[in-house]
């Protein structure tokens, strides 16, 4: 699977959180054989400290001032560790809204499989049982990085659309919503108590600012937004 850097996204990064040095070193070496970069952490606390430095405290979400991550990423996470467990860290990543941008693959011992299966139902990308097959693990890592790439591109597109929406005037937004609802210019003019010519001007400006050529294209663009669609 192609995990080469996507333009404007950068090099993929695999984060390793495991309390055993030998496991982290082995994983880092394995990833290097597929030309994948990695960064290791000996505890969930150390990984959370990194998150805090990049996107702020819990509650800052997946954006923060750094809008992190900016490159395709995934997390290989041990289930059982001293201190904060992998499962607790996983729940905190859910709260931050990071799972789509940084898919989580759990590394589990045999006794942890039921727990890992439950985590997959909560949104984890997968779990890999120790001892694992090197090729199978890296294949899943590459698939997780591809999923991260797609999520980052969606976020970039959504950010661009919201920026363009923010550039519309209040009247242009009024016209835009009525255009999306399928009203003809005359009906829009009557509803907003403005002239048809004024509607035509606002409509043209909306299409220009939103970089679309039709009402259907405009509606599809806003429908792709995850929340209010610009209303």
């Amino acid at each position: 699977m192609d995990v080469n850097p996507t333009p404007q996204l950068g090099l993929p990064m695999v984060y390793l959180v495991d309390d055993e040095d030998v496991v982290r070193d082995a994983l880092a070496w394995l990833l290097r054989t597929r030309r994948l970069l990695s960064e290791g952490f000996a505890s969930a606390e150390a990984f959370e400290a990194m998150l805090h430095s990049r996107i702020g405290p819990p509650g800052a979400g997946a954006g923060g001032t750094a809008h992190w991550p900016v490159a395709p990423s995934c997390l290989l996470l041990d289930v059982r560790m001293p201190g904060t467990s992998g499962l607790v860290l996983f729940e905190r990543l859910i709260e931050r809204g990071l799972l789509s941008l940084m898919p989580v693959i759990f590394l589990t011992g045999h006794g942890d499989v039921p727990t890992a299966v439950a985590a997959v139902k909560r949104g984890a990308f997968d779990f890999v049982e120790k001892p694992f097959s090197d090729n199978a693990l890296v294949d899943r890592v590459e698939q997780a990085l591809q999923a991260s790439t797609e999520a980052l591109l969606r976020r970039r597109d959504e950010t661009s659309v919201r920026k363009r929406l923010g550039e519309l005037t209040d009247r242009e937004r009024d016209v835009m919503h009525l255009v999306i609802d399928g009203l003809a210019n005359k009906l829009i003019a009557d509803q907003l108590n403005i002239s048809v010519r004024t509607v035509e001007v606002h409509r043209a400006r909306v299409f220009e600012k939103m970089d679309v050529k039709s009402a259907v294209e405009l509606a599809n663009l806003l429908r792709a937004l995850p929340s209010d669609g610009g209303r």
Side-chain angles (χ1 to χ4, degrees):
M1 179 169 294
D2 182 10
V3 290
N4 291 327
T6 300
Q8 301 179 14
L9 289 184
L11 291 170
M13 175 64 72
V14 182
Y15 296 96
L16 314 172
V17 179
D18 195 298
D19 61 300
E20 296 186 53
D21 294 344
V22 65
V23 172
R24 295 196 311 278
D25 291 344
L27 287 170
W29 176 85
L30 175 61
L31 293 166
R32 283 197 299 273
T33 67
R34 295 278 191 102
R35 304 181 70 178
L36 291 172
L37 298 175
S38 65
E39 184 176 352
F41 300 85
S43 67
E45 290 87 349
F47 185 77
E48 284 196 283
M50 180 275 289
L51 287 183
H52 190 285
S53 69
R54 296 188 182 181
I55 60 176
T65 56
H67 212 52
W68 187 90
V70 295
S73 307
C74 79
L75 172 61
L76 290 179
L77 178 60
D78 193 16
V79 171
R80 296 190 183 186
M81 295 179 289
T84 301
S85 72
L87 292 172
V88 171
L89 174 59
F90 175 69
E91 292 297 327
R92 291 173 181 171
L93 295 177
I94 292 175
E95 293 172 3
R96 285 181 178 271
L98 282 170
L99 289 194
S100 64
L101 301 171
M102 185 178 61
V104 174
I105 298 174
F106 276 106
L107 302 176
T108 72
H110 178 69
D112 298 320
V113 169
T115 301
V117 170
V120 169
K121 293 179 179 178
R122 289 275 290 144
F125 190 78
D126 204 349
F127 69 92
V128 177
E129 193 174 351
K130 300 176 183 177
F132 46 77
S133 162
D134 290 355
N135 287 333
L137 173 61
V138 182
D139 285 348
R140 289 304 281 158
V141 166
E142 291 183 335
Q143 291 161 15
L145 290 171
Q146 183 60 42
S148 174
T149 297
E150 293 166 2
L152 286 166
L153 291 174
R154 285 195 301 271
R155 183 183 69 176
R156 186 180 67 181
D157 291 345
E158 290 163 6
T159 299
S160 174
V161 171
R162 292 192 183 281
K163 181 176 182 296
R164 282 177 271 164
L165 280 171
E167 293 171 352
L168 299 178
T169 66
D170 289 343
R171 180 58 83 192
E172 286 168 351
R173 290 173 75 92
D174 293 340
V175 170
M176 178 187 72
H177 293 309
L178 295 174
V179 167
I180 291 172
D181 290 340
L183 273 66
N185 287 351
K186 177 67 168 61
L187 293 177
I188 294 174
D190 291 344
Q191 186 160 330
L192 297 179
N193 196 28
I194 56 179
S195 70
V196 172
R197 176 57 185 159
T198 300
V199 171
E200 292 171 348
V201 170
H202 286 316
R203 183 185 184 118
R205 287 176 178 168
V206 168
F207 281 18
E208 179 181 2
K209 289 181 179 180
M210 298 304 296
D211 192 24
V212 297
K213 296 186 180 350
S214 70
V216 171
E217 189 178 349
L218 178 61
N220 290 337
L221 186 68
L222 297 186
R223 194 175 295 118
L225 292 178
S227 55
D228 63 2
R231 289 188 180 270

